[in-house]
Amino acid sequence: MDADEEFRLQVSAVANHKDSTYYRTAELDAHVIDASLTGLSATIELTIGENEICSAECLDEGLVSTIADFWTSTLITAANGGKGAVTTTLSVQALKPIYSGTKIHVICTASEPESRPMPYATARFVNAANHNDIFALATHTKFFKRA
């Protein structure tokens, strides 16, 4: 098994270990389909239902923030050997309409743990069939006490 596949399994294990009763994502059928240890990234796949679309016909921003928080936190925790952190900023933006039944990829990337004073991550909510078709974006900054 290569390092990226081991990292994908580690991200999945961290996500499954969290107390997901507090996360809206627990109700969604979302799966880690790809991960890169060297790129500190993970791709999550899910299909959007009508309950995930707001009145403006975009992804519901509450859903976007919850998914971004959960999966970028999971990525940062996995990349830091299980060490969690707290959110300092979380910003989301819905960009365009989406239809019920659309399969999306949430592409999460994180900074190197030592490259910034605080871990920083992004989540791009894109069409699974065309990653240039972006439905929403999120940025997430975390803080943890360094040893």
Side-chain angles (χ1 to χ4, degrees):
M1 181 178 323
D2 70 8
D4 286 344
E5 178 60 13
E6 286 183 28
F7 187 62
R8 186 190 71 76
L9 293 173
Q10 182 180 359
V11 171
S12 292
V14 170
N16 290 329
H17 182 67
K18 288 185 174 187
D19 181 1
S20 61
T21 59
Y22 294 105
Y23 291 97
R24 168 81 165 85
T25 55
E27 300 170 16
L28 301 175
D29 187 21
H31 305 282
V32 180
I33 60 165
D34 190 35
S36 170
L37 179 59
T38 56
L40 284 182
S41 65
T43 301
I44 292 75
E45 183 175 85
L46 64 139
T47 301
I48 299 303
E50 63 184 49
N51 291 335
E52 288 82 51
I53 300 172
C54 70
S55 60
E57 299 180 357
C58 296
L59 284 172
D60 180 81
E61 290 90 345
L63 176 78
V64 171
S65 64
T66 301
I67 290 174
D69 179 34
F70 182 83
W71 286 107
T72 58
S73 294
T74 298
L75 177 63
I76 288 169
T77 300
N80 286 295
K83 185 177 183 181
V86 296
T87 296
T88 58
T89 62
L90 177 61
S91 175
V92 301
Q93 183 179 18
L95 300 174
K96 64 184 286 187
I98 190 169
Y99 298 103
S100 181
T102 302
K103 185 180 288 189
I104 67 166
H105 288 167
V106 182
I107 303 171
C108 301
T109 57
S111 64
E112 286 288 335
E114 301 301 322
S115 70
R116 297 177 61 99
M118 295 186 285
Y120 175 81
T122 61
R124 290 185 306 125
F125 294 70
V126 301
N127 190 318
N130 176 4
H131 286 186
N132 291 320
D133 189 11
I134 304 171
F135 296 108
L137 298 171
T139 57
H140 193 189
T141 305
K142 305 282 277 181
F143 172 80
F144 60 79
K145 190 175 182 178
R146 300 213 187 267

